[in-house]
Amino acid sequence: PVSRRPEHRRETARFWRENRAEAALRERCLVPTEEYERFARTLEWALAEHQRREEERIFQVPPATSRTGTGPASAPAWPRLTALYRQMAADIREAERRQRETVQAALQKYCSFFLNRAQLQTEPELCAGPSICGPPAGPERDTPCDAEQPGPSGMQAGPDVVWMESGQVLTFIGHQETEGNVHTGAKPPWLTEEEDGSKQIGPSYEEFLKHKEKQKLKKLPVERVGANFDHTSQTSDSWLPSFGRVWNHGRRWQSR
Amino acid sequence: MSFLLPKLTCKRDVDHAIKSVAEKVLVLRFGRDNDAVCLQLDDILAKTAHDLSKMAVIYLVDVNNVPVYTQYFDISYIPSTVFFFNGQHMKVDYGSPDHTKFVGSFKTKQDFIDLIEVIYRGAMRGKLIVRSPIDPKNIPKYDLLYQGI
């Protein structure tokens, strides 16, 4: 430890030079040996404490594993590690459950609040709303009151919650056991079909000719007669072309 | 000469011609193949059809085959020629009482060519009625009133 001190001094001096910091601060930054040793000791102690706590937790796990019934089949070479992971998983599940419950409780309060608001639709009810919801946490009460914006978004949140809570029962169609799938990076089906002969990429020659005709069409004046006439419309047997109001039938515009 | 020009024999064919001819003047000659004036007109149509092929499509229709259209277009004298563009009927003021069709035959091929050109240009500009360039002297005269009624 003593040999560290001159090195420590030198390094701090160099650092100060390179970064051109205030020399006054440097003295304060030098760590005296005693402090350093004390720090090392407390560090060791803290580490030992942490280890001890972890060991306690691990040794509590064996009762939990017997409850879940996974049994000796899942006793690998690292029993303490897997047990630790299991404990962590259980803790996480517990935490998530608590979070979900609080969120759902809050959403329900929002739901009922906004439903009230939609039904009554009067200003005084705005203030009465949150009080009806009961005494939620402070920040929750403020937000429904002040902003107009939560209105439509709140209504949208309502049906979503209902959908989530109704617990849809989905039809199970079986495990898809194949050689490869999208997760393993197999070749997609639309790229695997090669038996259709040589499919040329791009339009055929006839399509190209049709395309050229269409381009020519675009060059024609837009206000020409019948520019928007649908040449391929299916007409009944009794269809007759418009005769330009010859028979006093049809719009006056047709005789322009 | 009528064997040189395509014919339409039923209403469905006429409908199809009216609907399908695109960006060109459709010329429908209503008449009978063996009528004297029709033969004259058919001769002019046949001889000019090739030169006008980029602007016009010409068909012959026998009035006996399509009574529906004969009545609809009010064809009382033959030959009567009706013009269409993109499914829309084109009217031409020849200086005669009826603007909806050309009654009779043309005096010269040039008259017909000029008329087609005027109709085509008018249609491109969006006009449903155009003025005929033909000299009124060459337009056949007929009586629209039936036997003095």
Side-chain angles (χ1 to χ4, degrees):
Chain A
V2 180
S3 65
R4 284 211 200 102
R5 285 232 52 222
E7 232 181 68
H8 175 61
R9 250 183 196 279
R10 272 203 298 276
E11 289 301 310
T12 21
R14 177 193 300 177
F15 181 82
W16 244 249
R17 268 201 308 276
E18 283 171 358
N19 299 30
R20 286 191 284 248
E22 273 194 37
L25 290 175
R26 191 184 61 182
E27 285 302 317
R28 294 215 307 208
C29 279
L30 288 175
V31 178
T33 324
E34 301 80 24
E35 293 289 309
Y36 184 81
E37 284 177 359
R38 200 176 71 156
F39 167 66
R41 277 199 300 273
T42 36
L43 180 65
E44 283 176 31
W45 178 84
L47 198 58
E49 270 296 306
H50 177 74
Q51 289 276 52
R52 194 180 51 74
R53 255 182 270 130
E54 290 298 304
E55 309 250 346
E56 268 181 34
R57 192 136 33 110
I58 285 168
F59 285 130
Q60 278 171 20
V61 165
T65 50
S66 62
R67 265 208 308 271
T68 55
T70 40
S74 64
W78 315 83
R80 275 165 62 171
L81 259 182
T82 47
L84 176 62
Y85 293 153
R86 220 171 287 129
Q87 175 65 24
M88 283 160 61
D91 287 346
I92 291 169
R93 270 194 289 272
E94 179 65 27
E96 278 182 348
R97 191 183 57 77
R98 263 181 269 123
Q99 279 178 7
R100 208 175 22 248
E101 278 174 7
T102 35
V103 165
Q104 280 183 3
L107 275 176
Q108 276 174 359
K109 285 177 188 145
Y110 269 110
C111 244
S112 59
F113 162 63
F114 282 114
L115 282 174
N116 285 341
R117 189 176 171 186
Q119 286 164 10
L120 302 171
Q121 292 244 346
T122 48
E123 279 304 307
E125 301 302 337
L126 253 168
C127 301
S131 56
I132 293 172
C133 293
E140 275 186 83
R141 196 192 333 217
D142 288 335
T143 40
C145 263
D146 45 48
E148 275 83 45
Q149 171 262 345
S153 51
M155 290 305 295
Q156 278 164 11
D160 282 348
V161 170
V162 171
W163 175 81
M164 277 190 321
E165 290 178 337
S166 65
Q168 291 174 326
V169 183
L170 300 173
T171 315
F172 181 66
I173 60 174
H175 294 284
Q176 305 296 329
E177 310 271 3
T178 55
E179 271 298 316
N181 61 16
V182 68
H183 303 292
T184 64
K187 201 164 188 190
W190 58 88
L191 290 183
T192 56
E193 282 189 59
E194 307 266 329
E195 310 102 9
D196 273 31
S198 69
K199 272 240 175 103
Q200 286 167 335
I201 306 171
S204 69
Y205 186 59
E206 294 95 16
E207 282 166 40
F208 173 64
L209 291 176
K210 276 194 212 135
H211 177 76
K212 289 222 287 194
E213 294 298 312
K214 278 194 213 135
Q215 296 299 104
K216 274 198 218 145
L217 262 188
K218 280 196 203 146
K219 292 208 189 120
L220 292 174
V222 184
E223 69 271 7
R224 70 184 186 278
V225 170
N228 51 359
F229 181 67
D230 180 15
H231 293 274
T232 51
S233 68
Q234 303 297 324
T235 55
S236 68
D237 277 345
S238 53
W239 174 84
L240 289 169
S242 108
F243 203 32
R245 279 199 97 241
V246 170
W247 300 116
N248 276 344
H249 157 84
R251 302 184 57 207
R252 191 152 193 261
W253 173 84
Q254 287 179 7
S255 69
R256 73 184 193 274
Chain B
M1 303 302 164
S2 54
F3 53 82
L4 296 171
L5 291 164
K7 289 195 168 74
L8 301 174
T9 48
C10 59
K11 179 192 185 283
R12 214 159 56 98
D13 292 344
V14 178
D15 287 353
H16 181 257
I18 294 174
K19 284 191 296 179
S20 63
V21 170
E23 323 305 336
K24 280 190 198 168
V25 181
L26 173 65
V27 182
L28 295 181
R29 179 230 73 181
F30 286 86
R32 290 198 195 104
D33 287 348
N34 43 17
D35 180 71
V37 185
C38 283
L39 283 171
Q40 267 187 299
L41 174 62
D42 293 354
D43 180 49
I44 290 183
L45 296 179
K47 286 179 177 164
T48 55
H50 176 77
D51 296 331
L52 293 170
S53 54
K54 290 230 182 315
M55 280 198 292
V57 176
I58 305 175
Y59 286 105
L60 304 180
V61 186
D62 193 311
V63 289
N64 301 339
N65 293 344
V66 286
V68 183
Y69 276 118
T70 309
Q71 285 155 24
Y72 185 62
F73 293 140
D74 193 25
I75 294 168
S76 349
Y77 291 95
I78 56 171
S80 284
T81 314
V82 190
F83 302 100
F84 288 86
F85 191 86
N86 272 343
Q88 174 71 37
H89 169 75
M90 297 292 294
K91 289 199 260 228
V92 183
D93 179 8
Y94 313 96
S96 61
D98 192 350
H99 296 176
T100 62
K101 55 178 120 20
F102 183 83
V103 177
S105 173
F106 301 96
K107 183 148 187 248
T108 59
K109 291 189 292 189
Q110 194 54 47
D111 280 349
F112 179 62
I113 294 172
D114 292 343
L115 178 63
I116 290 295
E117 199 162 335
V118 163
I119 294 176
Y120 184 82
R121 295 239 168 99
M124 277 300 158
R125 294 239 210 57
K127 309 242 180 276
L128 287 188
I129 180 162
V130 293
R131 216 171 66 81
S132 146
I134 304 174
D135 194 353
K137 290 200 308 278
N138 299 338
I139 304 282
K141 293 275 177 293
Y142 55 92
D143 232 344
L144 249 196
L145 302 176
Y146 179 68
Q147 291 180 0
I149 296 175

